[in-house]
Amino acid sequence: MRETRILEFKETITNTFLETVSAFSNYDGGEILFGVDDDGNIKGLSNVKQACLDIENKINDNISPQQNYTLEIQNSEQTIKLSVKSGLQKPYLYKSKAYKRNDTSTIEVDTLEFSRLVLEGKNIRFEELPCKDQKLSFEILQSKLKEKIQIETSNRDTLKTLNLYDDVNGFNNVAGLLADKNHFPGIDIVKFGENISIIQKRITFENTSVLDIYEKALSVFRDYYQYEVIQGADRKMVEKVPEAAFREAIANALIHRVWDVDSQIRVSMFDDKIEVVSPGGLPSGITENEYLSGKLSVLRNRNLANVFYRLGFVEIFGTGITRIKQVYSEALIKPSFEVSENAIQIVLPVYEESTNLTLDEKVVYKLLSRNMLKSMSEIAPYISFGKSKTTKLLKDMEQKGVIAIEGKGKGTKYRIK
């Protein structure tokens, strides 16, 4: 066994476990095993029944409000399993402080995270809070409503229906996000050249409606990853990166990001891929596996997602990652997804069909780059084939026109065409 974000070992009973009880109660729950050392070895407790009483008394006397937990004696009365459930009355405090798990350690939350816990405990989302600017206009939203769902005139009742306004608190934060002008961050787009030291273009869209930001990001995308090919009397649009996938990635970033931090969504554009990084990890109540598999969707900004859905910018709530994977189902190089505590990254590679390559050729192909020449010594350590077979596979792919071979002898290098 080993410790994880939701599992901790305690060889003895000291008050430090109460910090982890606070963390588990404030977030996704977890278990603490008493009588087990840091390496997962069972050491046992001398008197487990008394230990259970001690644990129960420490929790009841030191954690507030009261949380939901159970105690279970295990391993022939040698160890105790404390199971702590995520609570509804957040934040759960130990010595007037709230805690969270950071990988396998427990740390105190910062001021911003504490505020989020308070809102969650009151069942209030950030997007529902009153917007600090109440003088808002919605010409962009009204134009989209007319264009997409034929609402000819928009008024205060329309905004109420979209959960953007109420008579008591006025405009909320999601109304601010959709307003023509606002104080919120947006998207920072950088187009790189051959490497990250060469910046061909940088543009930031912010302090305007997220609908406008979404459309402008698509416009920049089309400039770099779409072009027309003339075939006789016909013109054919070619997409280096599927627009459907980029749309989903940008919509996903806008809908699921945290908006209470002054940080831009970062879009890095390269010749062979696009990276989209949105601020904020996964919302509470969903695991990385559930998010990436599409089994479960927890919307951080439900009302914003509803507007995107009504306007047809997203098809079904919570299917963005699944749809990106479907777009790339026949591609040689698949998109990748990375989830961390404070960010989510989606990488969309240039679309390459895989139908004319053998399974062995695909293995080698995935190690090559479109922009960087790679030698045999940079390829061989990552595959199980011998050097002679790898060389033959590379020559076969050159004949198929998918890679280029440059140089001779020991100086021979390879890249994707």
Side-chain angles (χ1 to χ4, degrees):
M1 294 189 298
R2 63 181 181 85
E3 290 186 317
T4 67
R5 188 176 59 83
I6 57 172
L7 176 64
E8 182 166 276
F9 304 145
K10 291 293 184 182
E11 189 171 345
T12 59
I13 300 171
T14 63
N15 283 353
T16 57
F17 85 89
L18 294 167
E19 297 177 356
T20 303
V21 172
S22 166
F24 287 160
S25 299
N26 285 325
Y27 294 92
D28 299 324
E31 297 176 347
I32 303 175
L33 299 183
F34 294 92
V36 179
D37 69 15
D38 291 341
D39 296 321
N41 302 310
I42 296 175
K43 296 299 184 179
L45 298 168
S46 58
N47 187 338
V48 292
K49 291 184 179 179
Q50 182 60 47
C52 280
L53 290 174
D54 291 343
I55 293 169
E56 185 175 358
N57 289 333
K58 285 179 180 293
I59 293 175
N60 294 340
D61 293 343
N62 292 281
I63 303 291
S64 62
Q66 187 66 46
Q67 63 289 116
N68 189 352
Y69 67 91
T70 59
L71 289 165
E72 179 184 351
I73 297 174
Q74 298 182 324
N75 297 305
S76 302
E77 299 195 352
Q78 293 186 79
T79 64
I80 298 172
K81 180 174 78 171
L82 169 62
S83 300
V84 182
K85 293 186 178 180
S86 177
L88 299 176
Q89 297 176 287
K90 300 178 176 69
Y92 291 86
L93 307 178
Y94 169 56
K95 291 186 176 180
S96 302
K97 297 179 180 179
Y99 292 85
K100 68 176 182 177
R101 293 288 278 177
N102 183 13
D103 195 17
T104 60
S105 62
T106 302
I107 61 173
E108 184 183 351
V109 302
D110 59 24
T111 303
L112 177 59
E113 192 66 21
F114 189 90
S115 299
R116 291 172 179 167
L117 288 172
V118 172
L119 291 177
E120 188 175 351
K122 295 179 179 179
N123 197 27
I124 299 173
R125 294 186 294 270
F126 173 79
E127 66 169 2
E128 297 171 336
L129 294 175
C131 184
K132 68 179 184 181
D133 184 2
Q134 290 292 313
K135 296 180 180 180
L136 303 176
S137 63
F138 299 92
E139 292 184 10
I140 296 171
L141 173 61
Q142 291 169 354
S143 175
K144 291 300 177 185
L145 290 172
K146 181 178 180 180
E147 174 189 347
K148 300 292 184 180
I149 52 179
Q150 288 73 55
I151 295 180
E152 294 294 330
T153 57
S154 299
N155 52 33
R156 190 60 57 83
D157 289 334
T158 306
L159 300 177
K160 287 182 178 180
T161 300
L162 295 173
N163 296 314
L164 308 182
Y165 180 89
D166 68 65
D167 292 329
V168 176
N169 298 306
F171 294 114
N172 55 28
N173 278 327
V174 73
L177 289 168
L178 292 161
D180 300 326
K181 294 182 180 180
N182 57 47
H183 62 277
F184 291 105
I187 294 179
D188 184 30
I189 301 178
V190 179
K191 176 62 175 71
F192 293 98
E194 295 180 358
N195 56 63
I196 59 174
S197 299
I198 302 174
I199 297 178
Q200 295 180 341
K201 183 176 183 179
R202 180 167 192 168
I203 185 169
T204 301
F205 304 119
E206 61 182 351
N207 305 136
T208 184
S209 171
V210 291
L211 303 177
D212 188 40
I213 290 172
Y214 174 77
E215 294 286 4
K216 287 178 177 177
L218 287 176
S219 179
V220 175
F221 163 84
R222 291 173 184 139
D223 285 343
Y224 289 108
Y225 295 96
Q226 292 182 352
Y227 59 93
E228 286 188 342
V229 174
I230 300 175
Q231 297 178 337
D234 299 322
R235 291 176 177 266
K236 179 183 178 182
M237 178 62 69
V238 177
E239 297 181 335
K240 295 176 66 178
V241 172
E243 181 174 313
F246 183 75
R247 282 178 175 271
E248 292 290 344
I250 293 298
N252 195 72
L254 290 168
I255 290 171
H256 292 289
R257 67 155 290 170
V258 292
W259 285 102
D260 54 1
V261 296
D262 189 20
S263 180
Q264 310 285 4
I265 295 169
R266 190 175 75 247
V267 178
S268 301
M269 295 181 167
F270 303 89
D271 289 343
D272 61 343
K273 64 183 177 181
I274 300 175
E275 296 176 355
V276 180
V277 180
S278 57
L282 295 176
S284 181
I286 183 172
T287 66
E288 180 176 348
N289 180 61
E290 289 167 337
Y291 171 74
L292 295 179
S293 66
K295 293 178 182 178
L296 180 65
S297 174
V298 177
L299 291 173
R300 178 177 275 124
N301 305 297
R302 184 176 301 277
N303 293 332
L304 181 60
N306 180 54
V307 173
F308 269 66
Y309 171 71
R310 287 172 179 259
L311 294 176
F313 293 156
V314 294
E315 289 200 2
I316 305 174
F317 293 164
T319 61
I321 299 300
T322 301
R323 284 175 52 76
I324 290 172
K325 290 179 179 179
Q326 289 174 347
V327 171
Y328 277 87
S329 60
E330 299 299 324
L332 181 63
I333 302 176
K334 307 294 185 182
S336 63
F337 310 90
E338 182 178 335
V339 177
S340 64
E341 182 181 2
N342 297 309
I344 295 175
Q345 175 179 271
I346 299 175
V347 179
L348 305 176
V350 166
Y351 193 93
E352 297 283 354
E353 289 283 357
S354 61
T355 52
N356 65 334
L357 295 181
T358 67
L359 292 176
D360 289 346
E361 288 171 344
K362 291 177 185 177
V363 172
V364 179
Y365 184 91
K366 290 178 181 179
L367 296 171
L368 301 178
S369 169
R370 187 176 300 275
N371 300 315
M372 183 185 299
L373 289 165
K374 290 191 175 184
S375 64
M376 181 62 68
S377 62
E378 294 172 301
I379 301 170
Y382 300 98
I383 52 179
S384 58
F385 310 135
K387 182 178 179 181
S388 59
K389 180 176 180 179
T390 303
T391 302
K392 182 179 184 305
L393 292 171
L394 289 164
K395 288 182 178 179
D396 290 343
M397 286 190 285
E398 181 194 31
Q399 292 178 356
K400 291 180 179 180
V402 297
I403 73 166
I405 301 177
E406 299 182 16
K408 294 181 180 181
K410 292 182 179 181
T412 304
K413 293 189 176 183
Y414 311 86
R415 67 172 177 84
I416 299 172
K417 275 191 173 181

